[in-house]
Amino acid sequence: MTEQTGQGPEPAHERASATQIGARGPEGLPDEVGAEPGQADRATTGAGRPEAGVAVLPAFDDHHPPEQELIDDCVHCGFCLPTCPTYVLWGEEMDSPRGRIYLMEIGRQGEAMNDEMVRHFDQCLGCMACVTACPSGVQYGKLIEATRQQVERRYPRSRRDRAFRALIFRLFPYPRRLRLLRGPLRLYQRSGIGTLARRAGLLDRLPRRLSAMERLTPDLGPPEPVPEVTPAAGPRRRRVGMLTGCVQRVFFPGVNAATARVLAADGCEVVAPATQGCCGALSLHAGREAEAQGFARAAIETFEAAGVDQVVVNAAGCGSAMKEYGHLLRDDPVFAERARAFSESVRDLSELLVELGPVAPRHPLPMKVAWHDACHLAHAQGIRAQPRAALRAIPGLELREIAESEICCGSAGIYNLVEPEPAAELGDRKAANVLATGADLLVTSNPGCLLQLRNALERRGQRLAMAHVAEVLDAAVRGAAPASLVARER
Ligand code: SF4
Ligand code: SF4
């Protein structure tokens, strides 16, 4: 049972124990203590981060705490450290995978869950670079997922933190609510108010999280609805369901339309059920277990009813979450088996296209393309070769690799909204590496990465054309000119 040791400053013995294990705030980030009134409210990292001042004893309850056997797989070798974005930024042990696993261990041993412990878990991007790097096969994804669920269930976040997270989770997983925003947002963007406010430095006066939200809003184009059924061009090879997503559907409708055209050109009948909702990825990756389970059950029922062979996903974060449904619903007697079968049917777009082999001829696209590995594609799903193979099959396209490709760009679901400072540092680092490729076009597979990188480039005063891999393949299939991709900037 949860015992909260009080609102207000955490008890001295809990502070001491966190300090003993080396936990402290990242260096080099603004320490807002002593800042002018109001300044501290804007910080999300460092000493001014909104924290609850509460310690929960013990840290974990009996409902799926991080598993001891998985913790024991870590042999403390440290091979994961150089690929962990937060360790790369701050060099702090407790902001590394090994440090976070140690915090899980002491949490299991009865240590209190306090602000410092939660901060180190919150600052993890969930990028899974450590999973790729780990020679011992540590399943960090399951560990951090279980830990985040404990945090969300047991730790009373500060009022401001709760309010901001409530805004995110009452908005982003609901395409209808997002769609209502399209009109006012288009008006805001076309009026130029945002540009003026930015130039006048007014956005810098907003709380950092709200300012990040404004800067990460995509430029909205016209809606491009996807038909419920797109017939295969030529003989039907598969009947596939297509996840249209929440952010993707409302803010990047052209990506879904391109995905359906490419799949149809390669012999798939594409079913995009109009009744589908959110896949639950944002909720799952933020530790909101019950909410994620609800979305997962609904998605399974929707695609089962559609009678499809496979479910194809064009957003890396969504695909990785849907491949985890079997684990997410393992305790549900009605859905456990259905969820496992469903997860096995899920394919990333590039994974399915390479599995099928191309049918439609690809027309030349003579251009230099930098491929950005989205973490939830490369690390969480292990999909690296397929998008590269799909792009290399386009005549004339020159693929360029980005240095430090294993390091996250800082997008990471809602990370760039709730932890904007480290997200911006990682974005800046990635933007520099992208520009160094000399590419004409940046291509990736996740809407969040596109927004994050556009924002990072804008901070440098630079722009670069960006596209989803589906849009590049679609242009090659349709014989569109490279200018049709390069002319657009996200
Ligand atoms: S998931 Fe990413 S940020 Fe979190 S510990 Fe692993 S490498 Fe570090
Ligand atoms: S997570 Fe893996 S790579 Fe990292 S310290 Fe543990 S065993 Fe080594």
Side-chain angles (χ1 to χ4, degrees), residues 410-489:
S411 170
I414 63 165
Y415 191 88
N416 53 2
L417 299 177
V418 292
E419 305 286 346
E421 292 100 328
E425 283 196 59
L426 291 168
D428 291 345
R429 192 177 176 115
K430 185 65 75 179
N433 284 326
V434 168
L435 291 171
T437 65
D440 312 311
L441 182 71
L442 175 69
V443 180
T444 189
S445 59
N446 207 42
C449 301
L450 290 171
L451 296 176
Q452 168 75 353
L453 289 167
R454 181 206 62 174
N455 188 30
L457 287 164
E458 268 178 14
R459 271 196 303 277
R460 300 170 64 100
Q462 286 171 295
R463 293 179 81 87
L464 179 66
M466 297 183 187
H468 188 283
V469 64
E471 296 172 299
V472 180
L473 293 169
D474 179 49
V477 167
R478 289 188 292 113
S484 67
L485 292 166
V486 174
R488 305 165 320 150
E489 285 160 348

Coordinates of all heavy atoms in Angstrom, one line a residue, residues 410-489:
G410 N 15.8 13.7 -29.6 CA 15.1 14.4 -28.5 C 13.6 14.5 -28.6 O 13.0 15.1 -27.7
S411 N 13.1 14.0 -29.7 CA 11.6 14.0 -29.8 C 10.9 13.1 -28.8 O 10.3 13.5 -27.9 CB 11.2 13.6 -31.3 OG 9.9 13.5 -31.4
A412 N 11.1 11.8 -29.0 CA 10.7 10.8 -28.0 C 9.3 10.9 -27.5 O 9.1 11.1 -26.3 CB 11.8 10.8 -26.9
G413 N 8.3 10.8 -28.3 CA 6.9 10.9 -27.9 C 6.6 12.3 -27.3 O 6.7 13.3 -28.0
I414 N 6.3 12.4 -26.0 CA 6.0 13.7 -25.4 C 7.2 14.3 -24.8 O 7.1 15.3 -24.1 CB 4.8 13.6 -24.4 CG1 5.2 12.7 -23.2 CG2 3.6 13.1 -25.1 CD1 4.3 12.9 -22.0
Y415 N 8.4 13.7 -24.9 CA 9.6 14.1 -24.2 C 9.9 15.6 -24.5 O 10.3 16.4 -23.6 CB 10.8 13.2 -24.5 CG 12.0 13.4 -23.7 CD1 12.1 12.7 -22.5 CD2 13.0 14.3 -24.0 CE1 13.3 12.9 -21.7 CE2 14.1 14.5 -23.2 CZ 14.2 13.7 -22.0 OH 15.3 13.9 -21.2
N416 N 9.8 16.0 -25.8 CA 10.2 17.3 -26.1 C 9.2 18.4 -25.6 O 9.5 19.6 -25.6 CB 10.5 17.5 -27.6 CG 9.5 17.0 -28.5 OD1 8.4 16.6 -28.1 ND2 9.7 17.1 -29.8
L417 N 8.1 17.9 -25.1 CA 7.1 18.8 -24.5 C 7.3 18.9 -23.0 O 7.2 19.9 -22.4 CB 5.7 18.3 -24.8 CG 5.3 18.3 -26.3 CD1 3.9 17.8 -26.5 CD2 5.4 19.7 -26.9
V418 N 7.6 17.7 -22.4 CA 7.7 17.7 -20.9 C 9.1 18.0 -20.4 O 9.3 18.3 -19.3 CB 7.1 16.4 -20.3 CG1 5.6 16.3 -20.4 CG2 7.8 15.2 -20.8
E419 N 10.1 17.7 -21.3 CA 11.5 17.9 -20.9 C 12.2 18.8 -22.0 O 13.1 18.3 -22.7 CB 12.3 16.6 -20.7 CG 11.7 15.6 -19.7 CD 11.9 16.0 -18.3 OE1 12.7 16.9 -18.0 OE2 11.2 15.4 -17.4
P420 N 11.7 20.0 -22.2 CA 12.2 20.7 -23.4 C 13.6 21.1 -23.5 O 14.2 21.2 -24.6 CB 11.3 22.0 -23.4 CG 10.7 22.1 -22.1 CD 10.7 20.7 -21.5
E421 N 14.3 21.3 -22.3 CA 15.7 21.7 -22.4 C 16.6 20.6 -22.9 O 17.3 20.8 -23.9 CB 16.2 22.2 -21.0 CG 15.5 23.5 -20.6 CD 14.4 23.3 -19.6 OE1 13.8 22.2 -19.7 OE2 14.2 24.1 -18.8
P422 N 16.6 19.4 -22.3 CA 17.5 18.4 -22.9 C 17.0 18.0 -24.3 O 17.9 17.7 -25.1 CB 17.3 17.2 -21.9 CG 16.2 17.5 -21.1 CD 16.0 18.9 -21.0
A423 N 15.7 18.0 -24.6 CA 15.3 17.7 -25.9 C 15.9 18.7 -26.9 O 16.3 18.3 -28.0 CB 13.7 17.8 -26.0
A424 N 15.9 20.0 -26.5 CA 16.5 21.0 -27.5 C 18.0 20.8 -27.7 O 18.5 20.9 -28.8 CB 16.2 22.4 -26.9
E425 N 18.7 20.4 -26.6 CA 20.1 20.1 -26.8 C 20.4 19.0 -27.7 O 21.3 19.0 -28.6 CB 20.8 19.8 -25.4 CG 21.0 21.0 -24.5 CD 21.9 20.6 -23.4 OE1 23.1 20.2 -23.6 OE2 21.5 20.8 -22.2
L426 N 19.5 17.9 -27.6 CA 19.7 16.8 -28.4 C 19.3 17.1 -29.9 O 19.9 16.7 -30.8 CB 18.9 15.6 -27.9 CG 19.4 15.0 -26.6 CD1 18.3 14.0 -26.0 CD2 20.7 14.2 -26.9
G427 N 18.3 18.0 -30.0 CA 17.8 18.4 -31.3 C 19.0 19.2 -32.0 O 19.2 19.0 -33.2
D428 N 19.6 20.1 -31.3 CA 20.7 20.9 -31.8 C 21.8 20.0 -32.3 O 22.4 20.2 -33.4 CB 21.3 21.9 -30.8 CG 20.2 23.0 -30.5 OD1 19.3 23.1 -31.2 OD2 20.4 23.6 -29.4
R429 N 22.1 19.0 -31.5 CA 23.2 18.0 -31.9 C 22.9 17.3 -33.1 O 23.7 17.1 -34.0 CB 23.4 17.1 -30.7 CG 24.6 16.2 -30.7 CD 24.6 15.4 -29.4 NE 25.8 14.5 -29.4 CZ 26.8 14.6 -28.6 NH1 26.8 15.5 -27.6 NH2 27.8 13.7 -28.7
K430 N 21.6 16.8 -33.2 CA 21.2 16.1 -34.4 C 21.2 16.9 -35.6 O 21.6 16.5 -36.7 CB 19.8 15.4 -34.1 CG 19.3 14.5 -35.2 CD 20.1 13.3 -35.4 CE 19.9 12.3 -34.3 NZ 20.7 11.0 -34.5
A431 N 20.7 18.2 -35.4 CA 20.6 19.1 -36.6 C 22.0 19.3 -37.2 O 22.1 19.3 -38.4 CB 20.0 20.4 -36.2
A432 N 23.0 19.5 -36.3 CA 24.3 19.7 -36.8 C 24.8 18.5 -37.6 O 25.4 18.6 -38.7 CB 25.3 20.0 -35.7
N433 N 24.5 17.3 -37.1 CA 24.9 16.1 -37.8 C 24.2 15.9 -39.2 O 24.7 15.4 -40.1 CB 24.7 14.9 -36.9 CG 25.8 14.8 -35.9 OD1 27.0 15.1 -36.1 ND2 25.4 14.3 -34.7
V434 N 22.9 16.3 -39.2 CA 22.1 16.2 -40.4 C 22.7 17.2 -41.5 O 22.9 16.8 -42.6 CB 20.6 16.6 -40.1 CG1 19.9 16.8 -41.4 CG2 20.0 15.5 -39.3
L435 N 23.0 18.4 -41.1 CA 23.5 19.4 -42.0 C 24.8 19.0 -42.6 O 25.2 19.2 -43.7 CB 23.6 20.8 -41.4 CG 22.2 21.4 -41.0 CD1 22.4 22.7 -40.2 CD2 21.5 21.8 -42.3
A436 N 25.6 18.3 -41.7 CA 27.0 17.9 -42.2 C 26.9 16.8 -43.3 O 27.9 16.6 -44.0 CB 27.7 17.3 -41.0
T437 N 25.8 16.2 -43.5 CA 25.7 15.2 -44.6 C 25.6 15.9 -46.0 O 25.9 15.3 -47.0 CB 24.4 14.3 -44.5 OG1 23.3 15.2 -44.6 CG2 24.3 13.6 -43.1
G438 N 25.2 17.2 -46.0 CA 25.1 17.9 -47.3 C 23.9 17.4 -48.1 O 23.9 17.6 -49.3
A439 N 23.0 16.7 -47.4 CA 21.8 16.2 -48.2 C 20.8 17.3 -48.6 O 20.8 18.3 -48.0 CB 21.1 15.2 -47.3
D440 N 20.1 17.0 -49.7 CA 19.0 17.9 -50.1 C 17.7 17.7 -49.3 O 16.9 18.6 -49.3 CB 18.6 17.6 -51.6 CG 19.8 17.5 -52.5 OD1 20.7 18.3 -52.4 OD2 19.9 16.5 -53.3
L441 N 17.6 16.5 -48.7 CA 16.3 16.1 -48.1 C 16.6 15.2 -46.9 O 17.4 14.3 -47.0 CB 15.5 15.3 -49.2 CG 14.1 14.8 -48.8 CD1 13.2 16.0 -48.7 CD2 13.6 13.8 -49.8
L442 N 15.9 15.5 -45.8 CA 16.0 14.6 -44.7 C 14.8 13.7 -44.7 O 13.6 14.2 -44.8 CB 16.0 15.5 -43.4 CG 16.0 14.7 -42.1 CD1 17.3 13.9 -41.9 CD2 15.7 15.6 -40.9
V443 N 15.0 12.4 -44.5 CA 13.9 11.5 -44.5 C 13.8 10.6 -43.3 O 14.9 10.2 -42.8 CB 14.0 10.6 -45.8 CG1 12.8 9.6 -45.8 CG2 14.0 11.4 -47.1
T444 N 12.6 10.5 -42.7 CA 12.5 9.6 -41.6 C 11.1 8.9 -41.6 O 10.4 9.0 -42.6 CB 12.8 10.4 -40.3 OG1 12.9 9.5 -39.2 CG2 11.7 11.4 -40.0
S445 N 10.8 8.3 -40.4 CA 9.6 7.5 -40.4 C 8.7 7.8 -39.2 O 7.8 7.0 -38.8 CB 9.9 6.0 -40.3 OG 10.7 5.8 -39.1
N446 N 8.9 9.0 -38.6 CA 8.1 9.3 -37.4 C 7.8 10.8 -37.5 O 8.7 11.7 -37.6 CB 9.0 9.1 -36.2 CG 8.2 8.8 -35.0 OD1 7.2 8.0 -35.1 ND2 8.5 9.3 -33.8
P447 N 6.5 11.1 -37.3 CA 6.1 12.6 -37.4 C 6.8 13.4 -36.3 O 7.2 14.6 -36.6 CB 4.6 12.6 -37.2 CG 4.3 11.2 -36.6 CD 5.3 10.3 -37.0
G448 N 7.0 12.9 -35.1 CA 7.6 13.6 -34.0 C 9.0 14.0 -34.4 O 9.5 15.1 -34.0
C449 N 9.8 13.1 -35.0 CA 11.2 13.5 -35.4 C 11.2 14.6 -36.4 O 12.1 15.5 -36.3 CB 11.9 12.2 -36.0 SG 11.9 10.8 -34.9
L450 N 10.3 14.6 -37.4 CA 10.2 15.7 -38.4 C 10.0 17.0 -37.7 O 10.7 18.0 -38.0 CB 9.1 15.4 -39.4 CG 9.3 14.3 -40.3 CD1 8.0 14.0 -41.1 CD2 10.4 14.5 -41.3
L451 N 9.1 17.1 -36.7 CA 8.8 18.3 -36.0 C 10.0 18.8 -35.2 O 10.4 20.0 -35.1 CB 7.6 18.2 -35.2 CG 6.3 17.9 -35.9 CD1 5.1 17.7 -34.9 CD2 5.9 19.1 -36.8
Q452 N 10.6 17.8 -34.5 CA 11.7 18.1 -33.6 C 12.9 18.7 -34.4 O 13.5 19.7 -34.0 CB 12.1 16.8 -32.9 CG 13.4 16.9 -32.1 CD 13.4 17.6 -30.8 OE1 12.4 18.3 -30.5 NE2 14.5 17.6 -30.1
L453 N 13.2 18.1 -35.6 CA 14.3 18.5 -36.4 C 14.1 19.8 -37.1 O 15.0 20.6 -37.2 CB 14.7 17.4 -37.3 CG 15.4 16.2 -36.6 CD1 15.5 15.0 -37.5 CD2 16.7 16.6 -36.1
R454 N 12.8 20.0 -37.5 CA 12.5 21.3 -38.1 C 12.7 22.4 -37.1 O 13.3 23.5 -37.4 CB 11.0 21.3 -38.6 CG 10.6 22.6 -39.2 CD 9.1 22.9 -39.1 NE 8.7 23.0 -37.7 CZ 7.5 23.4 -37.3 NH1 6.6 23.6 -38.2 NH2 7.2 23.5 -36.0
N455 N 12.3 22.2 -35.9 CA 12.4 23.2 -34.8 C 13.9 23.4 -34.5 O 14.3 24.6 -34.3 CB 11.7 22.6 -33.6 CG 11.6 23.7 -32.5 OD1 11.6 24.9 -32.7 ND2 11.6 23.2 -31.2
A456 N 14.7 22.3 -34.5 CA 16.1 22.5 -34.2 C 16.8 23.3 -35.3 O 17.7 24.1 -35.0 CB 16.8 21.1 -34.0
L457 N 16.4 23.0 -36.5 CA 17.1 23.7 -37.7 C 16.7 25.2 -37.6 O 17.5 26.1 -37.9 CB 16.6 23.1 -39.0 CG 17.3 21.8 -39.3 CD1 16.6 21.0 -40.4 CD2 18.8 22.0 -39.7
E458 N 15.4 25.5 -37.2 CA 14.9 26.9 -37.2 C 15.7 27.6 -36.1 O 16.1 28.8 -36.3 CB 13.5 26.9 -36.8 CG 12.5 26.9 -38.0 CD 11.1 26.9 -37.6 OE1 10.8 27.1 -36.4 OE2 10.3 26.6 -38.5
R459 N 16.1 27.0 -35.0 CA 16.9 27.6 -34.0 C 18.2 28.1 -34.5 O 18.8 29.0 -34.1 CB 17.1 26.7 -32.8 CG 16.0 26.8 -31.7 CD 16.5 26.2 -30.4 NE 16.9 24.8 -30.5 CZ 16.1 23.8 -30.5 NH1 14.8 24.0 -30.4 NH2 16.5 22.6 -30.7
R460 N 18.7 27.3 -35.5 CA 20.0 27.7 -36.1 C 19.8 28.6 -37.3 O 20.8 29.0 -38.0 CB 20.7 26.4 -36.7 CG 21.0 25.3 -35.7 CD 21.4 24.1 -36.4 NE 22.7 24.2 -37.1 CZ 23.8 23.9 -36.7 NH1 24.0 23.2 -35.6 NH2 24.9 24.1 -37.5
G461 N 18.6 29.0 -37.5 CA 18.3 29.9 -38.7 C 18.5 29.2 -40.0 O 18.7 29.8 -41.0
Q462 N 18.3 27.8 -40.0 CA 18.4 27.1 -41.3 C 17.2 26.3 -41.5 O 16.4 26.0 -40.6 CB 19.7 26.2 -41.2 CG 20.9 27.0 -41.3 CD 22.2 26.2 -41.0 OE1 22.4 25.8 -39.8 NE2 23.0 26.1 -42.0
R463 N 17.0 25.9 -42.8 CA 15.9 25.1 -43.2 C 16.4 24.0 -44.1 O 17.4 24.1 -44.8 CB 14.9 26.0 -44.0 CG 14.2 27.0 -43.1 CD 13.2 27.8 -43.8 NE 11.9 27.2 -44.0 CZ 10.9 27.3 -43.1 NH1 11.1 28.0 -42.0 NH2 9.8 26.7 -43.3
L464 N 15.7 22.9 -44.1 CA 16.0 21.8 -44.9 C 14.7 21.1 -45.3 O 13.8 20.9 -44.4 CB 17.0 20.8 -44.2 CG 17.4 19.6 -44.9 CD1 18.3 19.9 -46.1 CD2 18.2 18.6 -44.0
A465 N 14.6 20.7 -46.5 CA 13.4 19.9 -46.9 C 13.4 18.6 -46.2 O 14.4 18.0 -45.9 CB 13.4 19.7 -48.4
M466 N 12.2 18.2 -45.7 CA 12.0 17.0 -45.0 C 10.8 16.2 -45.5 O 9.8 16.8 -46.0 CB 11.7 17.3 -43.5 CG 12.8 18.0 -42.8 SD 12.4 18.2 -41.1 CE 13.8 19.3 -40.6
A467 N 10.9 14.9 -45.5 CA 9.8 14.1 -45.9 C 9.7 12.8 -45.1 O 10.8 12.3 -44.6 CB 9.9 13.8 -47.4
H468 N 8.6 12.2 -45.1 CA 8.4 10.9 -44.6 C 8.8 9.9 -45.7 O 8.6 10.2 -46.9 CB 6.9 10.7 -44.2 CG 6.7 9.4 -43.4 ND1 6.6 8.2 -44.0 CD2 6.5 9.2 -42.1 CE1 6.3 7.2 -43.1 NE2 6.3 7.8 -42.0
V469 N 9.3 8.7 -45.3 CA 9.8 7.8 -46.3 C 8.6 7.4 -47.2 O 8.9 7.1 -48.4 CB 10.4 6.5 -45.6 CG1 9.4 5.8 -44.7 CG2 11.0 5.6 -46.6
A470 N 7.4 7.4 -46.7 CA 6.3 7.0 -47.6 C 6.1 8.1 -48.7 O 5.8 7.7 -49.9 CB 5.0 7.0 -46.8
E471 N 6.4 9.3 -48.4 CA 6.2 10.4 -49.4 C 7.3 10.3 -50.5 O 7.1 10.5 -51.7 CB 6.3 11.8 -48.8 CG 5.2 12.0 -47.8 CD 5.3 13.3 -47.0 OE1 6.3 13.4 -46.2 OE2 4.5 14.2 -47.1
V472 N 8.5 9.8 -50.1 CA 9.6 9.7 -51.1 C 9.3 8.5 -52.0 O 9.4 8.6 -53.2 CB 11.0 9.4 -50.4 CG1 12.1 9.3 -51.4 CG2 11.3 10.6 -49.4
L473 N 8.8 7.4 -51.4 CA 8.5 6.2 -52.2 C 7.3 6.5 -53.2 O 7.3 6.1 -54.3 CB 8.1 5.0 -51.3 CG 9.3 4.5 -50.5 CD1 8.8 3.5 -49.4 CD2 10.3 3.8 -51.3
D474 N 6.4 7.3 -52.6 CA 5.2 7.6 -53.5 C 5.7 8.5 -54.6 O 5.2 8.3 -55.8 CB 4.2 8.4 -52.6 CG 3.0 8.9 -53.3 OD1 2.4 8.1 -54.0 OD2 2.7 10.1 -53.2
A475 N 6.6 9.4 -54.4 CA 7.1 10.3 -55.5 C 7.8 9.4 -56.5 O 7.6 9.7 -57.7 CB 8.0 11.4 -54.9
A476 N 8.5 8.4 -56.1 CA 9.2 7.6 -57.0 C 8.3 6.7 -57.8 O 8.5 6.5 -59.0 CB 10.2 6.7 -56.3
V477 N 7.2 6.2 -57.2 CA 6.3 5.4 -57.9 C 5.5 6.2 -58.9 O 5.2 5.8 -60.0 CB 5.3 4.7 -56.9 CG1 4.1 4.1 -57.5 CG2 6.1 3.7 -56.1
R478 N 5.1 7.5 -58.5 CA 4.3 8.3 -59.4 C 5.2 9.0 -60.5 O 4.7 9.6 -61.4 CB 3.6 9.4 -58.6 CG 2.4 8.8 -57.8 CD 1.6 9.8 -57.1 NE 2.3 10.6 -56.1 CZ 2.6 11.9 -56.2 NH1 2.3 12.6 -57.3 NH2 3.2 12.5 -55.2
G479 N 6.5 8.9 -60.3 CA 7.3 9.6 -61.3 C 7.4 11.1 -61.1 O 7.6 11.9 -62.0
A480 N 7.2 11.6 -59.8 CA 7.2 13.0 -59.5 C 8.6 13.5 -59.5 O 9.6 12.8 -59.3 CB 6.6 13.2 -58.1
A481 N 8.7 14.8 -59.8 CA 10.1 15.4 -59.9 C 10.6 15.6 -58.4 O 9.9 15.8 -57.5 CB 10.0 16.8 -60.5
P482 N 12.0 15.5 -58.3 CA 12.6 15.8 -57.0 C 12.1 17.1 -56.4 O 12.0 17.2 -55.2 CB 14.1 15.8 -57.2 CG 14.2 15.0 -58.5 CD 13.0 15.2 -59.3
A483 N 11.9 18.1 -57.2 CA 11.5 19.4 -56.8 C 10.2 19.4 -55.9 O 10.0 20.2 -55.0 CB 11.3 20.4 -57.9
S484 N 9.3 18.4 -56.2 CA 8.1 18.3 -55.5 C 8.3 17.9 -54.0 O 7.5 18.2 -53.1 CB 7.2 17.2 -56.1 OG 7.7 15.9 -55.9
L485 N 9.5 17.3 -53.7 CA 9.9 17.0 -52.3 C 10.7 18.1 -51.7 O 10.5 18.5 -50.6 CB 10.7 15.7 -52.3 CG 9.9 14.4 -52.6 CD1 10.8 13.2 -52.9 CD2 8.9 14.0 -51.5
V486 N 11.6 18.6 -52.5 CA 12.5 19.6 -52.0 C 11.9 21.0 -51.8 O 12.2 21.7 -50.9 CB 13.8 19.7 -52.9 CG1 14.7 20.9 -52.5 CG2 14.5 18.4 -52.9
A487 N 10.8 21.2 -52.6 CA 10.2 22.5 -52.5 C 9.4 22.7 -51.2 O 9.2 23.8 -50.7 CB 9.2 22.7 -53.6
R488 N 9.1 21.5 -50.5 CA 8.3 21.6 -49.3 C 9.2 21.6 -48.1 O 10.1 20.8 -48.0 CB 7.3 20.5 -49.2 CG 6.4 20.2 -50.3 CD 5.8 18.9 -50.2 NE 6.8 17.9 -49.7 CZ 6.5 16.8 -49.0 NH1 5.3 16.6 -48.6 NH2 7.4 16.0 -48.6
E489 N 9.0 22.5 -47.2 CA 9.7 22.4 -46.0 C 8.7 22.2 -44.9 O 7.6 22.9 -44.9 CB 10.5 23.6 -45.7 CG 11.8 23.7 -46.6 CD 12.4 25.0 -46.7 OE1 11.7 26.0 -46.3 OE2 13.5 25.1 -47.2

